[in-house]
Amino acid sequence: MLKYLSADYLFPVNSAPIKNGIIVLSNNNAIVDILSEWDTVPKGINIERYEGIIVPGFINCHCHLELSHLRGKIPKKTGLINFLKAVARGPKYSSDLIADEIIKADQAMYEAGIVAVADVANTIHSRERKLESKIYYHTFSEIFGFEPEIAKEAFIRGVELCEAFAPLSSSVTPHAPYSVSKELFRFIRMREDKSKQLISIHNQETEEENKFFRYKTGNFLDFYAFLNKNIDFFKAQARNSLRSVLPLLPQLQRILLVHNTYTSFKDINFVERYKKDVTWCLCPNANLYIEDRLPKIDLFIRSRLPIVLGTDSLASNDKLCILSEIKTLLAHFPQLSLEKSIEWATLNGARYLGIDATYGSLEIGKKPGLNLLTKTDGLNLTEESTLVKLS
Ligand SMILES: [Zn+2]
């Protein structure tokens, strides 16, 4: 039994918006056909007609599901270093509570029209839910370790966690420039194979990271003192964090640079020239939560490299909702179109994750999930726009 759905506009994403388009779904929600208003529809067919814009299911490219129990626990706008200290200082939570909050967050993402998530893990807590979830997950087993002497041990732990997520899709990944030693980057590079495993690294989330790398000054010195870590081995690099670590990242793997809040025009040029397979991930609401500042979106719009969106975790966001991220971007950057931001939220993320045969665009044969954006105005959102999950 085929289902016919129509709205004021369809955003296929891989092609221009279709006014009054009709989308034909099979009973397992695969797209069988996409029709324009002039195409003939067989007589007697019931078309479900909606006001608004139909877009593909959203891809959330940065999340930490296992931190969902920290919702509302960390003060806002205190800067990354204070955020990290607050997380480190926090009380121990029971596994049952952590598991319950993971289930709620997964369900909330599903209802918010998210169909796939790139999720960072330091523990096995999220595996059980991910196995049952209606959402597709790729898990990054995140590796920390700034002291060179613990590199091997940290790497082995990361590989073990990565393998423990089987049969789910997973790969090992470095946490951030300031928390991974050159030795540990070397281990991660050695693991590189032809399978195009994914890498995701937090990048320039605070200006302190750049200061730390350029001059070995700033609040990261206090942070390592707070952690009782001796970082005498680390020398100022005379270049910022991104320029220091990009050469250390694997050559063949797809690399996601997450946050980029303090990434400059010169940095973007540097990355474009470097000939690595890099995607930029923006998490605007988390940036406002932690640093009260947004990346220079206008520079990224002009970048040759693809852009995707992420929510980060409930430790630094009030909700895991890609539509909210889009609304924040559109409110701050009027030159950004809804159409472009939907491409970031769908097809670009599906391509990064390597799941674009199924997800990311309205194309015949795909099963991308359908979201209806309501209370739209032509090709734009309004403040009242919400999301209804259609499939
Ligand atoms: Zn993160």
Side-chain angles (χ1 to χ4, degrees):
M1 182 70 176
L2 299 178
K3 223 160 85 172
Y4 290 69
L5 300 97
S6 175
D8 301 335
Y9 283 97
L10 305 181
F11 277 13
V13 183
N14 65 319
S15 61
I18 305 170
K19 195 172 182 188
N20 297 317
I22 301 161
I23 189 157
V24 188
L25 292 184
S26 70
N27 53 6
N28 75 349
N29 289 326
I31 299 177
V32 175
D33 211 350
I34 294 173
L35 308 169
S36 79
E37 56 188 323
W38 299 287
D39 285 320
T40 43
V41 175
K43 275 212 163 54
I45 290 294
N46 175 38
I47 299 177
E48 289 175 33
R49 169 76 201 182
Y50 297 97
E51 287 179 5
I53 302 173
I54 293 178
V55 302
F58 290 147
I59 316 291
N60 180 0
C61 279
H62 188 67
C63 189
H64 305 246
L65 204 50
E66 65 188 14
L67 300 181
S68 298
H69 60 287
L70 296 178
R71 182 206 303 252
K73 296 276 193 295
I74 317 278
K76 291 184 178 176
K77 305 183 195 304
T78 63
L80 182 68
I81 307 274
N82 288 323
F83 176 86
L84 294 173
K85 283 182 181 172
V87 173
R89 253 195 307 251
K92 279 253 170 276
Y93 294 89
S94 75
S95 301
D96 285 351
L97 176 93
I98 294 171
D100 283 352
E101 295 303 320
I102 286 173
I103 291 170
K104 282 189 218 160
D106 171 70
Q107 184 62 27
M109 282 201 278
Y110 179 75
E111 285 160 15
I114 293 169
V115 292
V117 178
D119 188 63
V120 180
N122 286 276
T123 69
I124 197 70
H125 290 303
S126 61
R127 180 177 180 271
E128 207 176 315
R129 179 60 181 187
K130 285 172 176 169
L131 282 168
E132 293 168 6
S133 177
K134 297 185 194 111
I135 295 176
Y136 170 89
Y137 281 96
H138 177 83
T139 301
F140 291 109
S141 168
E142 187 174 63
I143 305 187
F144 282 91
F146 198 49
E147 304 100 309
E149 64 272 18
I150 64 165
K152 191 170 182 188
E153 177 195 328
F155 179 70
I156 289 169
R157 206 181 322 114
V159 170
E160 281 172 358
L161 179 63
C162 181
E163 288 170 355
F165 271 92
L168 295 160
S169 175
S170 62
S171 56
V172 292
T173 208
H175 165 254
Y178 57 80
S179 60
V180 176
S181 62
K182 282 185 181 167
E183 288 71 10
L184 190 42
F185 275 117
R186 198 171 301 135
F187 277 113
I188 293 169
R189 239 179 15 254
M190 273 162 48
R191 191 177 157 82
E192 177 171 39
D193 57 20
K194 305 282 178 288
S195 62
K196 282 220 124 196
Q197 279 294 333
L198 302 171
I199 288 273
S200 167
I201 181 167
H202 297 84
N203 175 54
Q204 293 170 306
E205 198 175 349
T206 170
E207 183 58 20
E208 298 300 323
E209 183 180 307
N210 286 331
K211 271 195 229 165
F212 182 61
F213 271 81
R214 267 201 207 103
Y215 316 116
K216 199 182 175 186
T217 58
N219 292 339
F220 269 107
L221 300 183
D222 303 340
F223 181 63
Y224 281 108
F226 163 84
L227 294 176
N228 281 326
K229 292 201 189 295
N230 178 346
I231 56 161
D232 287 349
F233 65 88
F234 180 72
K235 303 277 175 289
Q237 303 288 301
R239 61 178 94 86
N240 73 19
S241 59
L242 179 58
R243 288 160 201 236
S244 304
V245 304
L246 190 65
L248 305 178
L249 291 172
Q251 190 63 40
L252 299 174
Q253 298 181 230
R254 278 204 287 279
I255 298 165
L256 193 66
L257 296 179
V258 181
H259 290 302
N260 315 301
T261 328
Y262 293 83
T263 302
S264 69
F265 178 67
K266 282 185 176 172
D267 291 335
I268 293 173
N269 279 339
F270 174 82
V271 175
E272 286 179 343
R273 282 198 311 271
Y274 216 82
K275 304 263 179 292
K276 288 195 178 179
D277 191 348
V278 171
T279 297
W280 305 107
C281 181
L282 305 176
C283 307
N285 287 338
N287 300 152
L288 292 175
Y289 191 114
I290 295 177
E291 288 270 327
D292 196 18
R293 161 171 169 144
L294 291 173
K296 300 187 177 94
I297 306 288
D298 36 347
L299 299 181
F300 290 97
I301 291 174
R302 285 184 260 135
S303 165
R304 286 193 295 109
L305 301 173
I307 298 169
V308 298
L309 301 182
T311 58
D312 213 340
S313 75
L314 284 172
S316 61
N317 206 333
D318 298 324
K319 47 185 166 174
L320 305 181
C321 170
I322 290 291
L323 179 61
S324 301
E325 305 296 330
I326 291 173
K327 281 185 165 185
T328 297
L329 289 175
L330 294 173
H332 287 84
F333 300 94
Q335 67 275 41
L336 176 64
S337 69
L338 174 63
E339 207 186 327
K340 187 47 94 182
S341 67
I342 293 294
E343 184 187 329
W344 299 357
T346 58
L347 189 54
N348 288 1
R351 282 184 179 145
Y352 167 72
L353 283 171
I355 53 171
D356 51 318
T358 304
Y359 297 100
S361 59
L362 307 183
E363 287 180 79
I364 293 170
K366 288 195 182 186
K367 200 177 155 186
L370 298 184
N371 293 333
L372 175 73
L373 307 179
T374 67
K375 301 204 170 61
T376 49
D377 175 13
L379 296 170
N380 300 303
L381 294 182
T382 65
E383 267 173 41
E384 288 81 48
S385 292
T386 56
L387 182 146
V388 178
K389 188 173 168 60
L390 297 180
S391 80

